[in-house]
Amino acid sequence: MSTLDVYFQETPCARLNQNPDGVLQLQYRASWIDSGGMPVSTRLPVRELAYGHAEVAPFVASFLPEGDSLRQRLEKLLHIEASHDFGLLSVIGRESAGALSFWPEHEEPFQERPGYEALTDRDFEAWREFAHQLPLQFVGKDIRLSLAGAQSKTALYFDQEDRAFLPEHGAPTTHILKPRIRGCQPSTAYVELLTMRLAHAVLGAERVPNTDLWKNCYRIRRFDRLRNDAGITRRHQEDFCLALGRMPSQKYETVNPRERLLGPCFRLIDDLGERGLIQSPALQRLHLLDQVIINALLHNPDAHLKNYAFLYQEDGTLEVSPLYDCLCTHGLGFSLGDGGAWVTDAGPATHTRDLSLQIGNAVAIDQITLEDWELFALECGFTQAFVRRRVKLMAQIIETELRPVVESTVAGIPSAERAGQAFFAGVSGQIVGVLGSG
């Protein structure tokens, strides 16, 4: 039996076990139960009885990187079997999404005070150049960091003077960075920055984290980290894929037969409200609705279940998290630049029109009409008139903010001009399609 101690911030809350046959089990500590601690997941409420494999496997997988290519690179770097979720988490689970960290039972968590090592320009440039080969890692550094998703990325700590540091001994990070996807034109770093800046202009600072470009990488402030006088506090989060009890491989709708998963997301909010875990279900439904609309209007077909999440509050209640991973795919494609590397390293940004989560009868991002939004409204528990008005309102705001966002971004980053052109064309087309459909 192998065991990982699960910590909520810096307090042990549960034990995660795996037997020799690979069967997983999670059991809350008596001290966590007695103190009235939060659950590690809405699927795993605090109780004395241990949870079995079927319930625990999606929980473990939700913290890990995805995709065979990325997993295989981690296997070579860390000498751990790529398909071995428990083993991989035991190696890289010291800093992950939300408030949880995972430590082998023979280790003494926080025995060495969590701290940071200054990141040199040379180390960062080496990582940026070879990020597709060094997911999450830096050459010669012992980084115990886990981030979900299939794209190469890393997380760093930035101090008040915007100096970058590598985390040590389980120290929390403050920002996630993504380099451009190799071979993709125009640069995905520029396009994601434009997409999120426009979303920020529409939804506001409370619902879209601050983003910028740092050393030619897209950088986003972590909304699951809170900076205060005492330092950085981890805030717990849970994506909708886990909250619905699905493995990361099930973050997309199946096609035959076609699942319709947006309805269950909104019903989940209602269910959590009835359980007292969401204080204002109507408001949280509106926040999720706005994110679905934004993803559609900004031409982001890859908005799947792991791109929507809950953020836990101090009192244990949940709210829909700020928007993240919104990338306009219009105009993205791969060229034979970069030595033809795109053939084996195309990654997730290959231009696709197919929606990860269907809206109405539309299965392609540029085919959504107001009639599809009306069908979506019926499936998700809204009135048709309300959703029509909301979509038109958001489209009008986007139409007003689009040009200023693109022009200001390109003025500050002249090399983003091509990305700005593709982004402007894609979003303009989406708005014309919606407003022109009645």
Side-chain angles (χ1 to χ4, degrees), residues 34 131 137 169 223 240 279 320 420:
D34 293 342
Q137 304 297 305
H169 313 304
F223 59 77
F240 273 74
Q279 292 183 343
V320 171

Side-chain angles (χ1 to χ4, degrees), residues 291-341:
Q291 290 190 11
V292 173
I293 295 172
I294 278 283
N295 277 313
L297 295 181
L298 299 190
H299 202 288
N300 176 30
D302 197 39
H304 47 69
L305 289 178
K306 289 188 71 64
N307 289 157
Y308 300 105
F310 291 114
L311 185 62
Y312 285 66
Q313 307 303 301
E314 289 185 4
D315 61 1
T317 61
L318 291 79
E319 295 181 358
V320 171
S321 78
L323 182 76
Y324 61 97
D325 284 355
C326 184
L327 171 67
C328 173
T329 64
H330 179 83
L332 292 183
F334 288 85
S335 69
L336 287 177
D338 295 338

Side-chain angles (χ1 to χ4, degrees), residues 234-272:
R234 292 181 169 96
R235 302 182 66 190
H236 197 36
Q237 69 169 52
E238 176 176 1
D239 63 53
F240 273 74
C241 192
L242 174 58
L244 290 173
R246 299 167 70 94
M247 294 291 288
S249 59
Q250 299 172 303
K251 64 187 180 182
Y252 300 107
E253 291 177 341
T254 57
V255 177
N256 296 310
R258 184 81 192 202
E259 293 180 287
R260 304 178 79 91
L261 294 177
L262 284 171
C265 290
F266 286 93
R267 289 193 289 276
L268 176 62
I269 292 176
D270 294 334
D271 293 341
L272 294 173

Side-chain angles (χ1 to χ4, degrees), residues 5-13 93-96 98-116 144 167-173 225 232 234:
D5 288 322
V6 185
Y7 277 68
F8 190 101
Q9 295 174 355
E10 296 188 5
T11 303
C13 67
R94 308 302 184 273
E95 164 71 338
S96 60
L100 302 181
S101 59
F102 302 85
W103 301 76
E105 62 175 344
H106 62 269
E107 289 190 22
E108 186 66 34
F110 311 115
Q111 182 177 26
E112 296 185 62
R113 182 177 177 83
Y116 302 96
R144 305 297 185 172
E168 295 182 322
H169 313 304
T173 55
R225 299 292 181 265
I232 305 298
R234 292 181 169 96

Side-chain angles (χ1 to χ4, degrees), residues 168-240:
E168 295 182 322
H169 313 304
T173 55
T174 59
H175 293 74
I176 293 173
L177 290 94
K178 301 178 187 178
R180 66 182 181 90
I181 296 175
R182 295 183 72 200
C184 190
Q185 301 294 332
S187 169
T188 53
Y190 296 155
V191 176
E192 190 162 3
L193 177 64
L194 284 160
T195 311
M196 291 293 285
R197 280 188 171 180
L198 183 52
H200 187 280
V202 175
L203 296 179
E206 291 295 319
R207 297 168 62 188
V208 181
N210 290 330
T211 58
D212 62 5
L213 202 68
W214 191 79
K215 295 187 181 298
N216 291 320
C217 290
Y218 169 76
R219 178 172 68 166
I220 181 169
R221 179 184 58 80
R222 297 190 65 158
F223 59 77
D224 60 342
R225 299 292 181 265
L226 178 64
R227 190 191 298 270
N228 52 37
D229 293 340
I232 305 298
T233 300
R234 292 181 169 96
R235 302 182 66 190
H236 197 36
Q237 69 169 52
E238 176 176 1
D239 63 53
F240 273 74

